[in-house]
Amino acid sequence: MIQVGIIGCGLMGTLHARTLHKLPGVRVAAVHNRTREKAEVLAAEVGATVYDTYEALLEQDLDAVWVATPDHLHVEAAKAVLESGKHLFLEKALATSTEGGAEIVAAGANRPDLKAMVGYPLRFAPAYRALHEAVTSEGAGKPIQAWSMRTHFLDPKRRVYDKYRDHYYDTPSWYFDEANAKGPIFSHGSHDYDLLMWMCGEIESVFAYGGTYLLPPGSVADAFIVSLRFAGGGIGHVSTPWVTRVEHDITGVATERLTAVNTDGQVLVKDDQSPERKITFAENDMWTRMNGHFIDCIENGRQPLISLADGLRVVAVSEAAYRSLKERREVAVDYSAVKRALGGGV
């Protein structure tokens, strides 16, 4: 039985706890949250014990810990998990700066015996996996152009419908705090930076446009577009705005010899030799697949699909995009923090 702890019992911590609770051979044994009330509600649901500090939680006999605190609180908690000798599942984004993220990556590099993964669930969604399989298949050729636009409508004064979890939730206040969160261009868009790098390779530079349109002045930028240049020569763009009342996802990649597009779970693939193929995915069990994958890595000694270094590369892209938005110019992505954290090699 894998014994699991949860640090952070908000939206994502609760989601992970409920998912893990249903997995065979897994027990959610310990939970901690800054406000005890949330922890007590979750503990009652999954049969866990509440601890008033994450330090106390880490003293327990646990195999792995899920860190699902707000992004700007990841660094110390993630490092403490690794230093306590426990496997680490860390919610995205890895951190809100490359400096902080590099501390986590270095802590992981110091404990190669432990498994560590960053939570980017889109890589486990059946439709996106089909997309990846098509564009990285033998004979597909180099990526030429890629795009990912996943629209949202977030308002701090109203509950939000989450299509990925099929429920309504109260938006955490820190989402709108630029000093801590930096907005969707940094955190929500990081899903898409990760997704497109998984399919198309490293992002070399970015150019962002955007601003604050519906949120109060002084809030984060709620609409944006980031143009991408890949190291392999291809181009792309990412946008995950919060101003769109219609929820709609479309992600695609055109390679030298085929095009694959995912539109709200319907994947179309077309090359020059075959008719267009259409695959529709009605169900999306990416949360179960992602958490089950990490449990399997722990039990069977496999390497997680998304490493801490992968998460830091995404932070480097997010940081460049945020800087480009502010400075209105193309910004090269700086991966030097990744190299330093890994001891000089990527």
Side-chain angles (χ1 to χ4, degrees):
M1 180 71 69
I2 299 292
Q3 304 285 335
V4 167
I6 306 285
I7 298 175
C9 301
L11 180 66
M12 294 309 303
T14 296
L15 172 64
H16 289 302
R18 289 171 174 167
T19 303
L20 291 161
H21 183 59
K22 295 176 182 177
L23 293 179
V26 179
R27 176 173 176 254
V28 180
V31 298
H32 162 71
N33 194 67
R34 286 183 298 171
T35 54
R36 187 180 174 91
E37 183 180 359
K38 280 187 178 180
E40 288 177 341
V41 170
L42 182 58
E45 181 178 340
V46 300
T49 300
V50 177
Y51 293 91
D52 287 327
T53 66
Y54 70 72
E55 291 88 352
L57 181 147
L58 293 176
E59 291 174 358
Q60 308 311 307
D61 185 17
L62 302 172
D63 298 294
V65 174
W66 267 242
V67 173
T69 60
D71 296 355
H72 62 284
L73 301 177
H74 282 179
V75 177
E76 295 308 319
K79 288 165 55 181
V81 170
L82 293 166
E83 289 163 3
S84 73
K86 295 170 177 60
H87 303 291
L88 169 67
F89 182 99
L90 180 58
E91 252 304 314
K92 68 86 203 160
L94 179 79
T96 52
S97 71
T98 52
E99 291 81 4
E103 291 184 36
I104 300 173
V105 173
N110 287 336
R111 291 300 307 261
D113 55 314
L114 298 175
K115 304 302 178 187
M117 189 172 102
V118 183
Y120 280 111
L122 295 185
R123 289 214 210 178
F124 296 88
Y128 289 112
R129 293 187 73 82
L131 205 67
H132 176 268
E133 181 180 353
V135 303
T136 60
S137 62
E138 185 177 356
K142 292 197 311 181
I144 296 171
Q145 186 159 352
W147 55 96
S148 189
M149 184 168 189
R150 299 181 307 112
T151 67
H152 311 272
F153 189 74
L154 266 65
D155 183 331
K157 298 186 294 294
R158 68 177 71 184
R159 304 200 84 204
V160 175
Y161 176 70
D162 186 338
K163 61 192 172 190
Y164 295 109
R165 305 172 188 85
D166 191 26
H167 75 155
Y168 285 86
Y169 68 93
D170 296 312
T171 312
S173 59
W174 64 269
Y175 274 20
F176 307 97
D177 178 3
E178 186 169 30
N180 288 321
K182 297 183 178 177
I185 195 171
F186 194 99
S187 183
H188 284 198
S190 75
H191 284 286
D192 305 78
Y193 309 142
D194 174 74
L195 194 66
L196 294 188
M197 284 198 287
W198 185 42
M199 298 182 190
C200 304
E202 197 168 84
I203 295 169
E204 182 178 85
S205 65
V206 300
F207 198 127
Y209 290 98
T212 305
Y213 297 96
L214 297 184
L215 293 175
S219 300
V220 297
D222 50 16
F224 71 92
I225 296 172
V226 181
S227 296
L228 314 171
R229 187 179 300 279
F230 293 96
I235 57 173
H237 71 263
V238 161
S239 183
T240 58
W242 289 352
V243 299
T244 49
R245 290 169 177 82
V246 174
E247 298 267 335
H248 179 65
D249 294 356
I250 181 166
T251 301
V253 179
T255 71
E256 292 173 311
R257 287 182 278 280
L258 64 79
T259 300
V261 180
N262 171 28
T263 306
D264 293 326
Q266 183 181 82
V267 176
L268 302 177
V269 181
K270 179 72 176 73
D271 59 27
D272 293 333
Q273 284 71 47
S274 310
E276 183 177 87
R277 290 183 285 131
K278 180 187 296 185
I279 316 166
T280 300
F281 297 91
E283 299 294 327
N284 182 1
D285 57 352
M286 61 187 182
W287 307 109
T288 300
R289 287 172 179 254
M290 179 173 65
N291 284 294
H293 165 75
F294 191 60
I295 293 295
D296 177 67
C297 290
I298 294 170
E299 291 180 323
N300 297 298
R302 298 191 173 98
Q303 286 304 115
L305 179 61
I306 308 160
S307 68
L308 296 178
D310 290 335
L312 184 53
R313 290 184 184 94
V314 178
V315 171
V317 175
S318 297
E319 213 166 53
Y322 182 77
R323 184 177 172 189
S324 176
L325 181 70
K326 297 297 183 182
E327 299 179 5
R328 298 191 175 191
R329 65 178 183 88
E330 184 175 10
V331 173
V333 182
D334 182 2
Y335 294 106
S336 60
V338 186
K339 297 178 183 179
R340 288 195 301 272
L342 295 175
V346 183

